[in-house]
């Protein structure tokens, strides 16, 4: 008479291929998580900078930018460039992709400062469709100051 032997469970039947496959998959997931964390940290460092805040505020209130892109003007994509912090002083060279209902553009910012006091060498909006460059640092000259 044949004895009935209990059937092996799934793990006992498949451990030889499941263990290496699961281990490799886990390493891939950990690596992608690590890369994603670094990417998020770097991009948030740029978008949390005073240069980013000042540039977005000036672009959203500039009449030429509003006329060209419409409102609302929002970030559209990933901020690129670099921000360096050293001994309480910061320097930034960043590109901020923006868009409005009428088009897309990129804000280019170069400047430095400490805390909320920054000065800028360059802050301009490059409009993709027309190639127009709008200087955000251009000072308005009123009629009263000319007299």
């Amino acid at each position: 008479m044949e004895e009935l032997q209990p059937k092996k469970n799934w793990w006992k039947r498949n451990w030889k291929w499941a263990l290496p496959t699961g281990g490799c998959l886990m390493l891939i997931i950990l690596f992608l998580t690590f890369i994603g964390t670094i990417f998020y940290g770097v991009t948030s460092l740029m978008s949390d900078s005073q240069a980013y805040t000042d540039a977005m505020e000036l672009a959203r209130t500039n009449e030429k930018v509003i006329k060209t892109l419409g409102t609302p003007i929002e970030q559209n994509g990933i901020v690129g460039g670099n921000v360096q912090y050293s001994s309480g002083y910061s320097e930034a060279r960043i590109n901020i992709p923006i868009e409005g209902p009428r088009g897309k553009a990129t804000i280019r910012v170069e400047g430095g400062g400490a805390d909320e006091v920054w000065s800028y060498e360059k802050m301009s909006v490059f409009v993709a469709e027309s190639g127009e460059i709008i200087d955000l640092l251009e000072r308005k000259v009123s009629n009263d100051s000319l007299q």
Side-chain angles (χ1 to χ4, degrees), residues 69-81:
L69 301 179
T71 57
I73 295 170
E74 300 293 332
Q75 180 183 332
N76 174 37
I78 299 168
V79 178

Side-chain angles (χ1 to χ4, degrees), residues 41-144:
V42 168
T43 56
S44 66
L45 179 68
M46 284 187 264
S47 61
D48 289 343
S49 71
Q50 189 64 38
Y52 174 90
T53 304
D54 291 345
M56 288 300 290
E57 182 179 332
L58 284 174
R60 287 178 175 144
T61 58
N62 185 286
E63 292 175 14
K64 290 181 185 177
V65 175
I66 292 170
K67 185 178 177 184
T68 304
L69 301 179
T71 57
I73 295 170
E74 300 293 332
Q75 180 183 332
N76 174 37
I78 299 168
V79 178
N82 64 55
V83 177
Q84 297 176 347
Y85 296 97
S86 177
S87 302
Y89 184 78
S90 304
E91 282 189 30
R93 289 181 181 352
I94 57 176
N95 294 322
I96 308 165
I98 59 172
E99 75 173 341
R102 292 189 217 133
K104 296 180 181 183
T106 301
I107 304 173
R108 295 184 177 148
V109 183
E110 293 180 13
D115 298 323
E116 294 180 12
V117 181
W118 280 59
S119 62
Y120 299 99
E121 293 89 49
K122 177 190 272 187
M123 189 181 298
S124 57
V125 175
F126 175 74
V127 182
E129 289 84 21
S130 66
E132 178 184 9
I133 297 175
I134 302 168
D135 186 1
L136 296 177
L137 298 177
E138 185 178 277
R139 305 285 182 234
K140 291 182 186 178
V141 179
S142 66
N143 291 334
D144 296 336

